[in-house]
């Protein structure tokens, strides 16, 4: 019923009302009851409650009296503490003055009458700024409106100077959201002590600066803003050769310049005009000049405008430096002249070198043109050279078959050998020409090495048998990265050399070995062998070992092998011992996981059977080659349709009314006609993809790419009959004509 947080007067008033109510209740007879015992019990209970409330009331009154005494004692102690403080103190509550000490009130006599409880903080700060006793202040303190930050607002401080050279630091700090404490601490002794120390320091620095001036290697002189001399060092007077009377404090700058001009102390009189000095200093803030003294010294004069308006003049003796510079400039001039002459000589040499280089370039162009012309000539002549050789070889092959068992057989065999030698020599010359060509392009691809080795074995097996040499080839289906045409030629040259230099009864072995990710093709023989000194030169053109018998060839085969392998990135090595034999090896990049191609497998057919009941369309513009090819095919049992052009071949097809079984065509025909066009025209006319073989002397890559596009095989002239016959049989049997579509 009574709130203990209410004021004591309020609590006492409530208790009195409660007691009065209880007394009135006890006096009402109808509320006590009808029995005397109940009335007695009610009176006893009422009396106990009255005593309890009375005790509470007495205790509350005692506490109220103690609180009032404590408050008065605290207020008295606070007043005594404020009076004992050395500085001024004031407490502002809600922006108004609540408590202060006597020093705070008496600090500013003209504001003392306004210092009363309730004075706003902003009014006091404004009065402080306007007080006549405040001489200066370094800042302003914020008012109450800008300090509504509560506890934690940073302390604001300022220093004020009062009359009588008194100094106070005023600190303003918020103690809570409603209270602000203003402290005034006298710092007069501290300020005076700092001032004294500063003056002593300045005097010490002046002496120090004067000592520095006197010991400087440069001459220094300072002028006041009005142009009068303030201070200088002895070096300044010595460098200019001035008398003591001209460097007295207060001497004007203009007078000093006039004295120097009058006695010609400086050669450049125009630089001693005061107006020139003032104009440059006002415009640039500095003046720099190198002057010559009458005594022969060279001086650097630097004048700088000081912040206060004065001028600092500095002189440096640079005589030695100037002389060294002049000497260096003279040397530089001499060296420049030498370099100029050397440059002229170099220019002449360069021009001469340029002329020589131009002559060399023209010579190189002529050489390249000659090589290119030679290459074009050999490329053009190869067809004309290989055509009659191809025709003669076909005719000789027919003649060999016809002369068997007759007296002409040995002669025909010798004739066949002579033409074979001519063929090998011509192939070697054409290969060297192409490898030396500036635009030689070898096209590496994935090649089945076993197919090439079998082809070489088939071509050279008969030669080895005639000589009595055993030729063995270890089969392999490994693939390598190389050019198929030139790799075949390289293997063939190694095998031909091995057979040629191995006597009857000897052996030649061709096989492969793996070496990590490389494959090494090796050709072993039991021939005459090669000495160590000859092993270094056998790969040169027209070079042969000393133990090689005369008439054993021109020495071009190994040169072709070396050039080919260098172009393809293969490595060629030889191991040999005279009288024991030799091992030639070609190391190539191994290609994993490649299956053999159908054209390569087709070469495995021997084709000993006659090509019977098959129509062969031969397209060849050379009459001798056309006749020889026709004769040889007819001896194999084929029905031959000889045509000299695409138009004549199409006439045969139209007359027959059916496509031929196979087409044998030359690449270069008359009047710009080509064999690939003839094959395409016949297939289009018949609507059948007729099997075809291109027999050509053109070894360019474009022919091979064209064959891959149109699906025909390519054989080079002179054609190897041992390869032509099985290839014809394989194409007719396994590449039966189908619809061109």
């Amino acid at each position: 019923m009574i709130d203990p947080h209410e004021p004591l007067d309020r609590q006492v008033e409530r208790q009195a009302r409660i007691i009065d109510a209880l007394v009135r209740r006890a006096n009402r007879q109808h509320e006590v009851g009808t029995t005397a015992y109940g009335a007695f019990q009610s009176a006893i209970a009422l009396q106990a409650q009255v005593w309890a409330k009375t005790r509470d009331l007495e205790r509350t009154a005692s506490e109220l009296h103690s609180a009032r005494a404590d408050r008065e004692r605290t207020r008295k102690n606070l007043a005594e503490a404020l009076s004992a403080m050395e500085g001024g103190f004031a407490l502002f509550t809600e922006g108004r003055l609540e408590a202060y000490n006597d020093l705070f009130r008496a600090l500013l006599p003209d504001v003392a009458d306004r210092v009363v409880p309730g004075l706003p903080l902003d009014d006091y700060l404004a009065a402080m700024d306007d007080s006549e006793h405040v001489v200066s202040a370094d800042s302003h303190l914020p008012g109450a409106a800008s300090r509504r930050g509560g506890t934690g607002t940073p302390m604001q401080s300022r220093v004020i100077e009062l009359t009588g050279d008194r100094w106070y630091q005023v600190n303003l700090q918020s103690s809570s959201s409603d209270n602000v404490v203003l402290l005034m601490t006298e710092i007069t002794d501290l300020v005076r002590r700092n001032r004294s120390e500063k003056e002593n320091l300045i005097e010490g620095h002046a002496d120090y600066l004067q000592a520095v001036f006197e010991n400087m290697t440069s001459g220094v002189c300072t002028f006041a803003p009005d142009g009068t001399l303030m201070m200088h060092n002895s070096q300044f007077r010595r460098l200019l050769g001035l008398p003591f009377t001209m460097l007295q404090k207060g001497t004007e700058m203009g007078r000093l310049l006039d004295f120097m001009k009058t006695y010609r102390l400086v050669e450049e009189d125009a630089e001693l005009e005061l107006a020139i000095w003032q104009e440059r200093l006002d415009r640039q803030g500095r003046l720099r000049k190198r002057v010559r003294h009458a005594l022969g010294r060279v001086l650097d004069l630097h004048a700088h405008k000081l912040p206060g308006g004065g001028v600092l003049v500095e002189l440096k003796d640079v005589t030695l430096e100037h002389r060294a510079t002049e000497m260096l400039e003279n040397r530089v001039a001499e060296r420049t002249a030498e370099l100029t002459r050397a440059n002229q000589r170099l220019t002449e040499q360069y021009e001469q070198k340029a002329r020589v280089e131009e002559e060399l370039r023209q010579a190189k162009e002529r050489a390249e043109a000659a090589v290119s012309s030679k290459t074009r000539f050999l490329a053009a002549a190869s067809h004309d050279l290989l055509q009659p050789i191809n025709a003669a070889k076909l005719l000789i092959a027919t003649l060999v078959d016809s002369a068997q068992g007759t007296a002409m057989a040995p002669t025909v065999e010798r004739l066949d050998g002579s033409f074979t030698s001519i063929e090998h020599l011509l192939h070697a010359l054409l290969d060297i020409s192409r490898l030396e060509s500036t635009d030689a392009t070898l096209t590496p691809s994935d090649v089945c090495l076993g197919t090439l080795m079998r082809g070489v074995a088939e071509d050279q097996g008969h030669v080895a048998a005639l000589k009595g040499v055993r030729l063995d080839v270890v089969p392999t289906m490994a693939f390598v990265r190389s050019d198929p045409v030139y790799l075949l030629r390289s293997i063939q040259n190694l095998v031909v050399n091995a057979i040629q230099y191995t006597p009857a009864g000897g052996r030649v072995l061709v096989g492969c070995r793996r070496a990590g990710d490389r494959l090494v093709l090796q050709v072993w023989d039991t021939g005459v062998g090669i000495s160590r000194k000859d092993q270094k030169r056998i790969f040169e053109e027209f070079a042969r070992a000393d133990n090689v018998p005369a008439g054993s060839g021109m020495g071009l085969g190994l040169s072709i092998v070396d050039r080919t392998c260098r172009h393809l990135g293969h490595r060629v090595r030889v191991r040999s011992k005279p009288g024991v034999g030799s091992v030639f090896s070609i190391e190539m990049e191994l290609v994993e996981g490649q299956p053999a191609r159908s054209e390569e497998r087709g070469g495995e057919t021997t084709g000993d059977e006659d090509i019977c009941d098959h129509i062969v369309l031969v397209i060849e513009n050379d009459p001798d080659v056309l006749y020889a090819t026709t004769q040889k095919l007819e001896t194999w049992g084929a029905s031959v349709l000889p045509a000299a052009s695409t138009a004549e071949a199409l006439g045969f097809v139209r007359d027959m009314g059916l496509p031929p079984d196979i087409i044998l065509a030359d690449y270069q025909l008359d009047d710009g006609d080509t064999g690939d066009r003839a094959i395409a025209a016949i297939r289009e006319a018949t609507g059948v993809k007729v099997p075809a073989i291109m027999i050509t002397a053109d070894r360019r890559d474009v022919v091979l790419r064209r064959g891959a596009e149109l699906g025909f095989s390519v054989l080079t002239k002179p054609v190897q009959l041992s390869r032509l016959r099985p290839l014809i049989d394989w194409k007719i049997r396994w590449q039966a004509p189908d619809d061109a579509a």
Side-chain angles (χ1 to χ4, degrees), residues 501-522:
Y501 299 119
T502 300
R507 183 186 180 191
V508 175
L509 175 63
V510 184
C512 298
R513 296 178 183 272
R514 285 179 177 265
D517 59 348
R518 313 284 290 179
L519 190 71
V520 181
L521 181 141
Q522 295 181 330

Side-chain angles (χ1 to χ4, degrees), residues 649-704:
L650 289 174
F652 280 127
V653 172
R654 284 193 294 269
D655 292 343
M656 288 192 305
L658 72 158
D661 295 317
I662 192 170
I663 301 173
L664 303 183
D666 187 12
Y667 181 72
Q668 295 180 352
L669 303 176
D670 294 335
D671 300 327
D673 196 6
T674 57
D676 58 334
R677 296 177 185 173
I679 294 172
I682 293 171
R683 289 177 175 177
E684 183 179 0
T686 60
V688 176
K689 188 175 181 180
V690 182
I693 300 175
M694 182 77 68
I695 303 175
T696 178
D698 195 332
R699 287 169 167 77
R700 293 181 300 167
D701 296 332
V702 63
V703 180
L704 298 176

Side-chain angles (χ1 to χ4, degrees), residues 154-186:
M155 177 184 291
Q156 302 294 328
S157 178
R158 68 184 299 194
V159 176
I160 60 176
E161 180 186 1
L162 302 182
T163 56
D165 194 22
R166 292 178 302 155
W167 297 82
Y168 279 85
Q169 180 173 338
V170 182
N171 296 324
L172 190 64
Q173 175 65 48
S174 297
S175 59
S176 66
S177 59
D178 297 329
N179 296 334
V180 177
V181 176
L182 187 62
L183 297 176
M184 295 182 176
T185 305
E186 186 173 4

